[in-house]
Amino acid sequence: MELGNAPVQQIHAPLFEQMEVSVFVKREDLNHPFASGNKYHKLKYNLQEAKKQGHDTLLTFGGAYSNHIYAVAGIGKAEGFKTIGVIRGEEHLPLNHTLQSATEFGMHLHYMDRSTYRLKNTEKVKQTLQNKFNDFYLIPEGGTNGLAIKGTSEMLKEESNYDYYACPVGTGGTVAGIIHGLNGQGKVLGFSALKGNFLIEEVTNLLTQVNGQHLKNWSIKTDYHFGGYAKTNFELMDFMKAFEEAYDFLLEPVYTAKMFYGLFDRIEKGAFQKGTSILAIHTGGLQGRAGFGLAH
Ligand SMILES: *Cc1c(COP(=O)(O)O)cnc(C)c1O
């Protein structure tokens, strides 16, 4: 499965005119019905590697609302893999939209209590899973590894003439790939969907893994997490609703709404010089809207 290049569209707002900036959106949300934007790019080389190593099963980890779980189930099916999702916490029935869809894609769900889940990267837990499921290709939680960064570094292969690139950040694999792929061109702004500053160090580590430690044209904005991962408030939801009314596409509250909120806020605060062009990456994930009771 090979995807075409996701389209870019310009969006307009009185604010942009007033501040004399132009804003474009890279519509990765359109790239695949269940690959969920950036997730296809993160999985692409991992699936190639799994095939090369002769595995017929993918195993990965995630929470009950994870876009990554959904994407592994969907793309895994499309590429002829069996898939196992190790889900944090206990089973809740009926299954939510994410897990129901994953099951329909053929994923086997394996629930893991939270204290064991915290140890999921240890040899001991891996051994337990191997005893239970025999052979599998392991993809880490969130899907970020060296091969994922190789995939995301190709996301902007046809877009490299903007002054700024804006991208939401979860584990940092997507933004690290974008920084790596641009190889010093422009400035990359990551908007953290999680609370805290740890992602700055994490992205530095990920760049080091791909010999991109010399790249300094990036920063992570840590003020737009709205209380933490998957947390929202009325202000964010109002912003998202107004955004969706103004433009002809949807966002979701976990990543993309926070990025656009942060980007609009930075523009309003005069963070960009007149004449600046900004490409915001819509990383998809719209299946996650169902967890907030929104149509998707
Ligand atoms: C997973 C996801 C992200 C975060 O990507 P990372 O590579 O983990 O930083 C951003 N946006 C959406 C919509 C996602 O599903």
Side-chain angles (χ1 to χ4, degrees), residues 75-285:
I75 304 179
K77 178 189 159 102
E79 297 280 315
F81 286 96
K82 289 182 223 150
T83 56
I84 300 164
V86 179
I87 309 300
R88 183 182 60 233
E90 67 257 25
E91 182 178 41
H92 293 281
L93 293 172
L95 293 177
N96 69 29
H97 166 77
T98 305
L99 297 183
Q100 179 62 35
S101 308
T103 306
E104 284 164 15
F105 289 136
M107 180 176 260
H108 172 76
L109 303 179
H110 175 75
Y111 295 89
M112 189 175 264
D113 68 82
R114 283 164 194 272
S115 51
T116 314
Y117 191 90
R118 257 178 250 123
L119 304 173
K120 64 186 171 305
N121 295 331
T122 60
E123 265 317 304
K124 185 159 173 264
V125 172
K126 201 180 157 192
Q127 198 55 55
T128 316
L129 290 168
Q130 228 136 24
N131 293 343
K132 189 166 171 56
F133 297 115
N134 293 318
D135 174 64
F136 52 77
Y137 179 85
L138 191 145
I139 300 173
E141 182 182 47
T144 291
N145 57 16
L147 290 173
I149 295 172
K150 182 175 176 199
T152 54
S153 72
E154 293 172 1
M155 275 171 84
L156 300 185
K157 58 179 184 284
E158 291 178 24
E159 291 84 18
S160 55
N161 42 12
Y162 296 87
D163 299 312
Y164 283 86
Y165 301 86
C167 175
V169 182
T171 63
T174 304
V175 79
I178 283 165
I179 298 163
H180 182 50
L182 288 169
N183 195 22
Q185 196 276 320
K187 289 201 178 78
V188 181
L189 299 178
F191 290 88
S192 178
L194 284 73
K195 200 170 174 168
N197 294 330
F198 68 99
L199 278 164
I200 299 170
E201 200 184 323
E202 187 56 27
V203 172
T204 307
N205 292 340
L206 293 171
L207 282 171
T208 306
Q209 281 182 34
V210 292
N211 295 322
Q213 63 273 19
H214 58 286
L215 300 167
K216 303 289 179 213
N217 58 324
W218 60 275
S219 60
I220 306 291
K221 304 295 164 213
T222 56
D223 295 336
Y224 302 103
H225 56 74
F226 287 85
Y229 183 70
K231 300 267 171 45
T232 68
N233 63 17
F234 285 117
E235 202 182 339
L236 181 69
M237 297 310 264
D238 283 349
F239 170 82
M240 192 171 106
K241 192 157 170 271
F243 185 102
E244 290 170 355
E245 277 164 16
Y247 309 111
D248 60 348
F249 57 91
L250 299 175
L251 304 177
E252 47 66 54
V254 182
Y255 297 105
T256 49
K258 290 180 183 179
M259 170 191 65
F260 277 108
Y261 184 101
L263 181 60
F264 277 53
D265 189 56
R266 308 276 310 152
I267 293 171
E268 200 171 324
K269 291 186 171 141
F272 302 100
Q273 281 185 351
K274 286 189 194 331
T276 296
S277 63
I278 304 162
L279 181 68
I281 299 151
H282 190 320
T283 44

Side-chain angles (χ1 to χ4, degrees), residues 48-59:
Q48 282 184 14
E49 182 62 22
K51 271 186 196 157
K52 207 168 101 190
Q53 292 180 13
H55 299 284
D56 66 357
T57 303
L58 308 172
L59 179 141

